[in-house]
Amino acid sequence: MARTNQRGIGTRYMHNAVSIIILSLVSILALSFCIYLLLKNASLQKEEQAVRLELETITGEGYYTKAEAGKMVEQAKVEGRAEATSSFRDLIQSKLEAGEGTTSTIRALFPDQIVVASDGRYYFFPISDSIEHHGFSESDFELDENGYLQYVGTDESVHVQKGIDVSRFQGNIDWKKVADSGVEFAFIRVALRGTSEGKLLVDDMFESNIKGATQNGIKVGVYIYSQALNREEAEEEAQLVLDNIEPYKITFPVVIDIESADSDSARTNSLSSDDYELVAKTFCNIIESAGYKPMIYGNVKSFTLLMDAEDIDDYGIWVAYYGTPMYYPYRFNVWQYSSTGKVDGIDGHVDLNICITDY
């Protein structure tokens, strides 16, 4: 009986001890939480004081309300537009005063587009990344003291050749003097089609020119001035060229010249870009099938307004652009850079060309 009472007393002591421990822990937690609240409250008071001080500083330094800031933004926009307009006018004025033409000035204002002037209007063609670009910089070419274009870039893989293109307009040519002057290649006109009646004519000086050039070691290509309206006339032009060049060694391309005639009576005035492209492709495919290298000649207008450059990108490109740097952005093989060149052995002016492709 005494042992039983002792067990009961021991058990109560144990329960009391556990209760005391639990109550102590609760008290500690409560005290900790109170301390945390006090610290948090102190921290918030400090943050509030800092914010108030910052607001007082902002107000004192002249900061503005949202409405006031909005008015200032609108005023800045107005002033920005006025400044941009003034800069724009100054740029145009400076270019015109420097002697640049209207077209050149407009082109400088739209660097991401090809600008073409035709019949008193301007046409804008976004520059496409789907066509290979030529990759030359503005400083890669420069004219020497004799008016010949030189490649002065740093790409050692670029090797250029100096050339000319001729027709009956150059009259009798002393081809030995031409060769001695450093001319390496020549495009010789084979024939032309009349702009009004459409009659095909062989160039009066073709035979004399091609014999004189080849006998003096000048590499030759040939071209025809086309005014073909359709597939049949393009086939006729190609066959005429092939018949006339058959006796000669042609190392440079055989070219179709695609240009719009500056005449109200020109038979090609009503052609669409699809029509021009059909003529060019028909001619080039026949020339290629005959074993020659086909090429299309034209100016910036030819490869934008008359034809889509992307649609005739499978053929060689001979582009006429007078002046530097080259304005046409896409790849080319030959660049006709002057129509007023002077070459020993030729009386009067002659077209000057530079070839960047090894034929």
Side-chain angles (χ1 to χ4, degrees):
M1 184 68 176
R3 289 180 180 175
T4 302
N5 290 337
Q6 290 176 353
R7 289 196 195 99
I9 293 171
T11 301
R12 284 197 299 271
Y13 284 149
M14 183 175 294
H15 287 168
N16 290 337
V18 171
S19 297
I20 291 171
I21 292 171
I22 292 174
L23 289 173
S24 299
L25 291 174
V26 171
S27 298
I28 292 171
L29 289 173
L31 180 60
S32 298
F33 184 67
C34 289
I35 293 172
Y36 167 76
L37 291 177
L38 290 172
L39 292 174
K40 183 65 175 178
N41 183 55
S43 176
L44 290 174
Q45 287 180 349
K46 289 182 179 180
E47 290 180 6
E48 182 181 359
Q49 290 175 355
V51 170
R52 286 180 179 177
L53 180 61
E54 184 176 354
L55 289 173
E56 291 174 358
T57 303
I58 289 174
T59 303
E61 291 180 357
Y63 286 80
Y64 303 93
T65 65
K66 183 176 180 181
E68 291 172 332
K71 290 181 180 179
M72 294 183 65
V73 168
E74 290 303 318
Q75 179 63 27
K77 288 181 179 179
V78 172
E79 293 175 355
R81 283 192 290 268
E83 184 178 348
T85 300
S86 177
S87 298
F88 185 76
R89 288 161 57 91
D90 290 344
L91 175 62
I92 294 176
Q93 181 177 339
S94 64
K95 286 185 171 295
L96 294 177
E97 288 178 344
E100 295 190 29
T102 305
T103 299
S104 177
T105 299
I106 293 175
R107 284 173 171 174
L109 301 175
F110 297 89
D112 59 340
Q113 301 188 68
I114 304 174
V115 181
V116 178
S118 178
D119 299 327
R121 296 178 57 188
Y122 285 95
Y123 299 85
F124 296 79
F125 300 89
I127 296 176
S128 173
D129 289 331
S130 62
I131 311 175
E132 181 184 352
H133 292 212
H134 58 65
F136 294 114
S137 70
E138 293 186 359
S139 59
D140 279 346
F141 293 93
E142 63 181 31
L143 295 172
D144 65 16
E145 64 277 6
N146 297 314
Y148 293 116
L149 194 65
Q150 304 290 319
Y151 175 73
V152 294
T154 58
D155 187 347
E156 296 182 355
S157 67
V158 177
H159 301 284
V160 301
Q161 299 177 74
K162 182 170 69 175
I164 58 176
D165 61 270
V166 299
S167 67
R168 65 181 180 87
F169 293 111
Q170 276 67 50
N172 291 309
I173 297 174
D174 186 332
W175 284 100
K176 184 179 186 307
K177 288 184 178 180
V178 171
D180 291 342
S181 72
V183 170
E184 299 168 90
F185 71 91
F187 281 106
I188 298 168
R189 190 172 73 173
V190 180
L192 69 154
R193 188 186 288 274
T195 58
S196 299
E197 298 179 0
K199 184 178 180 180
L200 269 177
L201 300 170
V202 174
D203 189 290
D204 296 342
M205 301 299 294
F206 166 69
E207 185 174 356
S208 172
N209 281 334
I210 197 167
K211 286 181 178 179
T214 54
Q215 289 171 0
N216 284 278
I218 295 175
K219 292 168 281 190
V220 297
V222 298
Y223 73 97
I224 181 172
Y225 175 75
S226 174
Q227 287 287 289
L229 299 179
N230 48 47
R231 183 190 303 274
E232 290 72 27
E233 290 190 351
E235 292 173 348
E236 182 183 19
E237 290 179 356
Q239 191 58 54
L240 177 66
V241 170
L242 291 174
D243 290 343
N244 279 274
I245 66 175
E246 195 275 331
Y248 307 104
K249 182 180 181 181
I250 309 298
T251 54
F252 266 57
V254 176
V255 186
I256 182 170
D257 179 347
I258 300 290
E259 298 176 77
S260 59
D262 294 327
S263 170
D264 293 336
S265 62
R267 64 202 309 267
T268 56
N269 282 345
S270 61
L271 290 188
S272 67
S273 59
D274 289 339
D275 295 329
Y276 276 113
E277 290 170 10
L278 176 62
V279 167
K281 290 179 180 180
T282 299
F283 179 92
C284 287
N285 291 339
I286 292 174
I287 295 303
E288 189 170 34
S289 296
Y292 298 96
K293 304 175 186 68
M295 176 176 277
I296 302 172
Y297 168 94
N299 49 32
V300 175
K301 177 181 176 180
S302 302
F303 297 118
T304 52
L305 194 58
L306 303 189
M307 299 175 288
D308 187 332
E310 188 171 358
D311 292 337
I312 44 90
D313 195 42
D314 292 335
Y315 309 105
I317 299 297
W318 176 11
V319 62
Y321 182 75
Y322 305 146
T324 55
M326 166 61 84
Y327 179 68
Y328 186 69
Y330 305 128
R331 70 157 188 93
F332 61 89
N333 305 95
V334 181
W335 175 1
Q336 184 188 83
Y337 59 90
S338 175
S339 61
T340 57
K342 297 290 293 183
V343 173
D344 193 24
I346 299 177
D347 293 331
H349 292 149
V350 64
D351 296 336
L352 301 180
N353 299 270
I354 190 169
C355 179
I356 63 172
T357 301
D358 184 6
Y359 289 111

